[in-house]
Amino acid sequence: MRSLSIDKISEFEKNFLKDKNNIVAMNAATFNGIYKVTTDVNALKDEPFNFNVDIKNGTVTDQKQSGRCWLFASLNILRNVVMKKYNLENFELSQSYMMFVDKLEKSNYYLEAVIEKAHEPIDDRTMQYLMENMLSDGGQWDMFVNLVKKYGVVPKYAYPETKTSSATYQLNKYLSKVLAKYTVLLRKAIEDGKLKDDVMAIKEEALDGIYRVLTATLGELPEKFDLVLHDKDDKLIEEKDLTPHTFFDKYIGVEIDDFISIINAPTKDKPYGKTYTIKYLGNVIEGKPVKHLNLPVEELKKACVKQLQDGYPVWFGCDVGKDMVKTEDAALLDTKASRADLLFNVDLEMSKEDSLDYGYSCMTHAMTFTGVNIKDGKPTRFKIENSWGEKFGYKGHFVMSSDWFDKYVYQIVINKKYLDEKFVKEYEQEAIVLEPWDPMGSLA
């Protein structure tokens, strides 16, 4: 290995100081920070917050200090159905309810994986991955579908937010401690040759502990609740003794299995037209596995536009932290909005393929498309409903440029009726299994 010489550093410095623009850039960035100095002043006016396809979806929600974006985005899709069906100005479904059952199911999923891998050494890569990622707030669309089918949904007032659901760090810390302790106990019991019933008893004891922690911090799950709403014309909508399942069936009633995950991963290991799943990624063991169909990015855009033009929002996953510009009353995702390359005079361009393969980018956040601007038959920008509250961006909304979609949108969820029949058939293929650490296994 070759060391970095002091002479070489001196050469770098001389080259830097030769160009007066570098000195101006240095002074600007040191006093104002990188973010302000790299923001392109023309970006916001070039991509304004107006759209010729615009879906109204109520008041923007707020996940606060939690990683529940995938649940918020998913429930924002379903609430749109309720609002249209019953002429409502606003409506919100309980994200806390879904979080409770998700964490309980994820705990069971993890413990079953621990039992399955009990004979592997503790430093086995998969075992290390499982222990490092035993429980998080994140998830995937297919995991949401599993929760809805098993547990139904409830209005937010029937299971409201708590201090803990809005700031999940402490909850996750103690849930993970329970799981860590029982990882030790389960592996030891299996190593000692305990009977299967004894091992299952240890697992059930762990789940009982998880349930206690969740109930103590989020509240007792509702078995029944009453629905009382007023529509835009002040007409009363009322029904007694609904369960989470009867509420979903009657007031939402969508065929949730008709919505499928389409990804864009332009990497050599994932040919287009194939489906993929990820080892040890899931929550409800008896539920459907996470499954993605990989297609070119233009096909994702076409499907998005079709669904939006028909009046339905679109769930999507992206790398939200890249090339973001935000002001007091605006938020923009645009590859031309943040020009760090000009500030540093360094070529920062990377292909989407390289960004995935080399770990620079992956899906980090889920949101909802609720609009699009179409010019000459093509989308120029998208309207995004986020879940960071109304104080961020355009009262909680973003604008996304078409170029940013190409580069940093990795997943959309589309009703099959908006896809070409050949893509629906391709989705029905048996999925290729990816390793747990594959970038397409990242959680929103």
Side-chain angles (χ1 to χ4, degrees):
M1 296 178 72
R2 183 177 295 179
S3 64
L4 177 62
S5 70
I6 298 299
D7 289 342
K8 182 56 70 174
I9 295 173
S10 297
E11 182 184 332
F12 293 155
E13 183 177 24
K14 286 177 184 176
N15 290 338
F16 181 88
L17 296 175
K18 264 187 215 175
D19 189 340
K20 292 180 181 179
N21 289 328
N22 288 338
I23 298 172
V24 173
M26 176 179 66
N27 292 334
T30 52
F31 281 102
N32 297 283
I34 295 172
Y35 180 79
K36 286 186 177 179
V37 177
T38 57
T39 298
D40 189 321
V41 296
N42 292 312
L44 292 172
K45 69 179 178 64
D46 289 343
E47 301 291 354
F49 187 71
N50 56 58
F51 312 88
N52 47 32
V53 177
D54 195 345
I55 300 168
K56 307 304 180 188
N57 203 31
T59 304
V60 168
T61 55
D62 193 349
Q63 67 188 79
K64 299 186 179 178
Q65 286 84 46
S66 74
R68 298 174 292 160
C69 59
W70 66 292
L71 291 174
F72 276 73
S74 301
L75 292 170
N76 285 341
I77 300 295
L78 296 189
R79 74 165 174 162
N80 184 266
V81 176
V82 182
M83 288 169 61
K84 283 178 180 168
K85 202 170 180 181
Y86 294 96
N87 191 33
L88 302 177
E89 189 73 35
N90 191 47
F91 189 70
E92 200 166 340
L93 295 161
S94 174
Q95 304 91 1
S96 185
Y97 175 77
M98 302 307 287
M99 185 180 82
F100 186 120
V101 294
D102 176 61
K103 288 194 180 296
L104 186 61
E105 289 287 350
K106 277 179 182 167
S107 297
N108 183 61
Y109 196 100
Y110 168 79
L111 293 168
E112 284 292 324
V114 167
I115 292 169
E116 182 181 312
K117 300 288 291 182
H119 294 294
E120 300 289 345
I122 199 72
D123 61 354
D124 170 74
R125 184 175 182 184
T126 301
M127 193 64 211
Q128 286 291 311
Y129 180 87
L130 290 169
M131 291 190 295
E132 289 169 9
N133 300 276
M134 59 175 66
L135 197 66
S136 74
D137 290 348
Q140 272 282 350
W141 170 260
D142 287 327
M143 295 162 68
F144 174 74
V145 171
N146 290 337
L147 297 175
V148 170
K149 291 171 75 173
K150 186 168 182 177
Y151 295 99
V153 295
V154 303
K156 186 170 183 176
Y157 67 79
Y159 199 73
E161 290 287 292
T162 69
K163 184 74 173 175
T164 300
S165 67
S166 297
T168 56
Y169 173 77
Q170 291 291 328
L171 172 63
N172 290 338
K173 182 174 77 170
Y174 288 106
L175 289 174
S176 296
K177 190 168 186 179
V178 173
L179 292 177
K181 173 184 174 179
Y182 281 92
T183 299
V184 176
L185 295 177
L186 284 168
R187 284 177 65 88
K188 189 174 186 308
I190 293 169
E191 182 184 342
D192 292 344
K194 297 287 186 183
L195 296 174
K196 184 177 180 180
D197 286 349
D198 295 329
V199 172
M200 288 299 108
I202 294 171
K203 191 194 94 164
E204 288 181 14
E205 186 178 295
L207 291 173
D208 181 65
I210 293 292
Y211 190 89
R212 289 169 183 267
V213 174
L214 289 169
T215 305
T217 54
L218 302 178
E220 186 179 353
L221 292 175
E223 293 183 9
K224 290 187 177 182
F225 57 91
D226 297 339
L227 183 70
V228 181
L229 300 172
H230 289 85
D231 70 9
K232 293 178 184 177
D233 301 321
D234 206 31
K235 177 185 173 184
L236 177 65
I237 304 164
E238 185 175 18
E239 187 165 351
K240 305 292 185 182
D241 294 329
L242 286 166
T243 68
H245 281 292
T246 57
F247 172 74
F248 176 82
D249 292 343
K250 180 171 181 179
Y251 289 89
I252 300 175
V254 298
E255 292 293 337
I256 200 163
D257 281 323
D258 285 347
F259 291 85
I260 62 175
S261 170
I262 312 297
I263 59 170
N264 176 242
T267 52
K268 292 181 179 62
D269 64 329
K270 298 182 186 71
Y272 290 140
K274 303 293 183 182
T275 58
Y276 301 90
T277 190
I278 299 92
K279 289 181 187 175
Y280 297 111
L281 179 62
N283 52 1
V284 180
I285 285 179
E286 70 274 24
K288 64 187 292 189
V290 171
K291 185 178 181 182
H292 309 301
L293 171 64
N294 194 21
L295 293 177
V297 73
E298 285 305 318
E299 298 300 338
L300 274 69
K301 278 186 182 174
K302 287 178 189 176
C304 272
V305 170
K306 284 182 182 178
Q307 188 161 311
L308 290 168
Q309 287 177 321
D310 206 20
Y312 291 96
V314 176
W315 189 107
F316 75 97
C318 67
D319 191 353
V320 74
K322 301 293 191 293
D323 295 334
M324 179 200 293
V325 167
K326 57 185 186 295
T327 66
E328 289 184 2
D329 57 0
L332 173 65
L333 298 171
D334 186 352
T335 57
K336 302 180 293 296
S338 181
R339 298 304 306 271
D341 58 329
L342 299 181
L343 171 66
F344 303 129
N345 194 20
V346 174
D347 185 356
L348 298 174
E349 185 61 30
M350 284 182 74
S351 68
K352 194 172 190 177
E353 178 183 7
D354 288 343
S355 295
L356 283 169
D357 280 342
Y358 289 88
Y360 171 70
S361 180
C362 67
M363 186 176 72
T364 61
H365 189 53
M367 296 183 284
T368 312
F369 287 126
T370 55
V372 62
N373 194 70
I374 299 170
K375 184 177 180 181
D376 299 327
K378 293 186 177 181
T380 61
R381 60 182 172 272
F382 293 84
K383 177 188 173 189
I384 300 167
E385 178 184 357
N386 198 5
S387 54
W388 292 349
E390 286 195 311
K391 292 182 180 179
F392 195 98
Y394 299 92
K395 292 188 176 179
H397 295 83
F398 281 81
V399 175
M400 178 195 293
S401 72
S402 181
D403 289 343
W404 199 96
F405 187 117
D406 293 345
K407 196 155 190 178
Y408 296 117
V409 169
Y410 291 107
Q411 178 185 5
I412 64 169
V413 172
I414 291 291
N415 191 306
K416 289 186 287 189
K417 67 183 179 181
Y418 302 111
L419 289 172
D420 291 346
E421 186 60 34
K422 69 172 183 175
F423 297 143
V424 176
K425 288 180 179 177
E426 287 174 351
Y427 179 80
E428 293 167 357
Q429 298 173 86
E430 185 175 349
I432 297 165
V433 181
L434 304 173
E435 295 296 339
W437 42 85
D438 189 275
M440 287 299 107
S442 60
L443 298 179

